[in-house]
Amino acid sequence: MIAHLRGSLSELSPTSVVVDCAGVGYLVNISLNTYSYLSNQRGEVKLLTTQIIREDAHLLYGFATNAERELFGHLISVSGIGPNTARIILSQYSPAELNSILALGQVDALKAVKGIGLKTAQRIVLELKGKLELRDDAEGGAATLGVQIAGAKVQEEAVAALRMLGYPDAAAQKAVRQLLGASPAATVEQLIKDALKML
């Protein structure tokens, strides 16, 4: 089991990163919160990881903080929640927000996540409420920072991320253009979070 990676970033997108460790590049799937954190890092980085082994692939999911990694583990333990759905949830809500949602039993907030229906949202709350403890990681504040990139690049990265999360290209393009029209200075992270609520 790969617990963490330490190395330099050779590629970074809102949904994945390639970490160069002694000449070997590891492709790691990430959430928007981790993307924001990594976008502000320089030089060597440390990325906490969870390895998912399937019949057809060995996948790595990376996290800026222990709190996010633990939430990911709890989410995928719930029946019907796979790694990609867990990543979408963690992209829409920070660990602190998600802990609050679960503690208060806010089913509607979970239903707002694409692909989560009423029964699944209720199951998540039922199984996880009271079981989670949010840690005050030193990196926690940095993990919520937005990253602002100039116009066309923002749109391109946001659409690419939505496409990788399984949304049709045309719908992703339309949503991002609409959001940029209303908020031209929006960050990639904010665009994707808002688009997830629209699609």
Side-chain angles (χ1 to χ4, degrees), residues 52-106:
I52 304 293
I53 299 176
R54 303 189 322 212
E55 290 184 6
D56 58 342
H58 287 205
L59 304 173
L60 281 175
Y61 289 82
F63 313 93
T65 65
N66 276 322
E68 189 179 30
R69 179 168 65 176
E70 289 180 1
L71 278 169
F72 179 84
H74 285 299
L75 286 169
I76 62 175
S77 73
V78 177
S79 177
I81 302 297
N84 199 48
T85 300
R87 179 173 60 160
I88 292 174
I89 294 171
L90 290 168
S91 290
Q92 190 150 332
Y93 298 113
S94 69
E97 290 170 334
L98 186 55
N99 270 275
S100 177
I101 287 168
L102 293 170
L104 297 173
Q106 296 175 327

Side-chain angles (χ1 to χ4, degrees), residues 24-135:
V24 178
Y26 292 87
L27 176 64
V28 187
N29 299 291
I30 58 174
S31 71
L32 287 177
N33 286 312
T34 295
Y35 167 72
S36 294
Y37 168 72
L38 292 174
S39 296
N40 289 281
Q41 301 304 298
R42 299 292 178 267
E44 186 177 76
V45 300
K46 179 181 178 182
L47 192 61
L48 304 175
T49 58
T50 293
Q51 187 175 16
I52 304 293
I53 299 176
R54 303 189 322 212
E55 290 184 6
D56 58 342
H58 287 205
L59 304 173
L60 281 175
Y61 289 82
F63 313 93
T65 65
N66 276 322
E68 189 179 30
R69 179 168 65 176
E70 289 180 1
L71 278 169
F72 179 84
H74 285 299
L75 286 169
I76 62 175
S77 73
V78 177
S79 177
I81 302 297
N84 199 48
T85 300
R87 179 173 60 160
I88 292 174
I89 294 171
L90 290 168
S91 290
Q92 190 150 332
Y93 298 113
S94 69
E97 290 170 334
L98 186 55
N99 270 275
S100 177
I101 287 168
L102 293 170
L104 297 173
Q106 296 175 327
V107 172
D108 286 344
L110 290 172
K111 277 176 58 185
V113 178
K114 178 70 173 179
I116 302 293
L118 175 60
K119 289 185 178 179
T120 302
Q122 290 173 332
R123 189 184 309 123
I124 293 172
V125 169
L126 179 65
E127 293 190 24
L128 300 185
K129 185 177 181 180
K131 294 183 179 180
L132 307 180
E133 178 182 349
L134 182 63
R135 294 182 177 180

Side-chain angles (χ1 to χ4, degrees), residues 180-191:
L180 273 176
S183 303
T187 63
V188 173
E189 178 187 11
Q190 192 58 53
L191 281 174

Side-chain angles (χ1 to χ4, degrees), residues 118-199:
L118 175 60
K119 289 185 178 179
T120 302
Q122 290 173 332
R123 189 184 309 123
I124 293 172
V125 169
L126 179 65
E127 293 190 24
L128 300 185
K129 185 177 181 180
K131 294 183 179 180
L132 307 180
E133 178 182 349
L134 182 63
R135 294 182 177 180
D136 290 326
D137 286 359
E139 309 97 344
T144 62
L145 293 176
V147 179
Q148 188 166 329
I149 307 169
K153 188 169 178 62
V154 168
Q155 179 173 339
E156 178 185 337
E157 290 196 15
V159 171
L162 291 167
R163 192 184 304 121
M164 291 179 70
L165 290 171
Y167 296 95
D169 184 70
Q173 291 273 9
K174 181 179 179 182
V176 170
R177 280 198 302 269
Q178 183 177 335
L179 290 167
L180 273 176
S183 303
T187 63
V188 173
E189 178 187 11
Q190 192 58 53
L191 281 174
I192 298 171
K193 282 188 175 183
D194 289 345
L196 287 173
K197 296 174 184 177
M198 294 172 61
L199 295 171

